[in-house]
């Protein structure tokens, strides 16, 4: 029954869309909301969405309406699951230790340098890999994969910069998904962009408040 529901399709302006793409992105949005609120349940909720979207972006394998394989998009769902397990364990540990799942902070100079290096090298390397595999839009796909990895890892470590990385991912992701025909995901990326800006403001405010309290003490 559940499988039949997720395999079900509906049409928007003549374009068939899978319900599991909508449901998977819905879980992704809930996870982002949980991340902004710094609650531990954000990670397992995100994992459910990642598992669903993995099947969506391997369209040629799972016979989706688009029938396109976006290996970067599919691969990053597996990466999300792996990093989410790390983030879940880290937030659980920190919440037991200090009562807060994570305290937002700016990355150190060393962390920022490492992120820039990974962003450049990762995009180049994965573009070659995804091109070899036949991925649709290999350079955009490679940056989306690399940027998503950096953003998720940054969230796990409480780095406020991760919101800014997500914005850079969305700027590339929306056009790619529209061209590839993944319209629900493209629309949700637009929603993410507005939400990410809000999330950045929330974390920035919390960070400044924490800094002020430390200075006062």
């Amino acid at each position: 029954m559940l499988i039949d529901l997720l395999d079900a399709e509906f049409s928007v302006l003549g374009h068939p869309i899978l319900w599991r793409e909508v449901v998977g992105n819905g879980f992704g949005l809930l996870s982002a909301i949980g991340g902004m609120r710094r609650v531990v349940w954000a990670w397992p909720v995100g994992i459910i969405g990642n598992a669903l979207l993995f099947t969506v972006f391997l369209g040629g394998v799972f016979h989706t309406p688009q029938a396109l394989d976006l290996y970067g998009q599919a691969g990053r769902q597996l990466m999300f699951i792996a990093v989410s397990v790390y983030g879940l364990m880290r937030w659980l540990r920190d919440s037991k230790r200090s009562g807060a799942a994570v305290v937002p902070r700016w990355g150190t100079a060393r962390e920022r340098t490492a992120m820039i290096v990974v962003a450049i090298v990762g995009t180049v390397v994965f573009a070659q890999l995804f091109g070899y595999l036949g991925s649709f839009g290999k350079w955009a796909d490679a940056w989306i994969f690399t940027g998503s990895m950096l953003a998720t890892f940054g969230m796990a470590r409480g780095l406020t910069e991760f919101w800014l990385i997500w914005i850079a991912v969305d700027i590339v992701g929306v056009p790619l998904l529209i061209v590839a025909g993944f319209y629900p995901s493209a629309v949700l990326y637009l929603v993410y962009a507005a939400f990410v800006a809000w999330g950045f403001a929330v974390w920035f405010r919390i960070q400044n408040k924490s800094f002020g309290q430390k200075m006062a003490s």
Side-chain angles (χ1 to χ4, degrees), residues 151-174:
T152 309
F153 186 72
M155 174 179 164
R157 296 184 64 83
L159 305 182
T160 304
E161 287 94 338
F162 94 87
W163 294 104
L164 301 178
I165 298 174
W166 271 130
I167 291 176
V169 169
D170 291 340
I171 289 173
V172 175
V174 171

Side-chain angles (χ1 to χ4, degrees), residues 18-180:
L18 281 173
W19 271 110
R20 70 171 177 264
E21 183 180 356
V22 177
V23 174
N25 279 305
F27 274 97
L29 182 58
L30 284 175
S31 178
I33 292 173
M36 183 187 68
R37 297 178 60 187
R38 299 179 296 148
V39 291
V40 174
W41 58 255
W43 298 106
V45 166
I47 289 174
I48 296 173
N50 299 146
L52 289 171
L53 290 176
F54 173 77
T55 69
V56 170
F57 291 121
L58 282 185
V61 176
F62 291 94
H63 309 293
T64 66
Q66 295 84 3
L68 289 174
D69 292 322
L70 274 67
Y71 291 107
Q73 291 280 3
R76 79 175 188 142
Q77 305 307 320
L78 299 180
M79 176 274 296
F80 279 148
I81 292 174
V83 179
S84 293
V85 172
Y86 165 77
L88 175 61
M89 295 177 64
R90 186 181 180 95
W91 282 27
L92 283 172
R93 183 195 65 192
D94 291 347
S95 63
K96 292 178 180 178
R97 178 184 301 172
S98 62
V102 65
V103 178
R105 65 179 177 86
W106 290 119
T108 63
R110 183 176 180 179
E111 287 172 324
R112 290 182 178 182
T113 300
M115 286 190 288
I116 292 173
V117 171
V118 171
I120 296 173
V121 175
T123 300
V124 172
V125 171
F126 285 117
Q128 306 312 310
L129 174 61
F130 296 155
Y132 173 77
L133 294 173
S135 184
F136 181 80
K138 67 175 186 178
W139 284 102
D141 215 13
W143 161 242
I144 291 170
F145 181 89
T146 305
S148 299
M149 176 177 62
L150 287 171
T152 309
F153 186 72
M155 174 179 164
R157 296 184 64 83
L159 305 182
T160 304
E161 287 94 338
F162 94 87
W163 294 104
L164 301 178
I165 298 174
W166 271 130
I167 291 176
V169 169
D170 291 340
I171 289 173
V172 175
V174 171
L176 175 66
L177 292 170
I178 290 176
V179 172

Side-chain angles (χ1 to χ4, degrees), residues 186-211:
V187 170
L188 195 66
Y189 265 49
L190 289 173
V191 174
Y192 276 152
F195 177 81
V196 163
W198 179 28
F200 173 74
V202 170
W203 274 43
F204 184 74
R205 184 171 64 249
I206 294 172
Q207 177 179 306
N208 285 345
K209 182 178 179 181
S210 299
F211 179 76

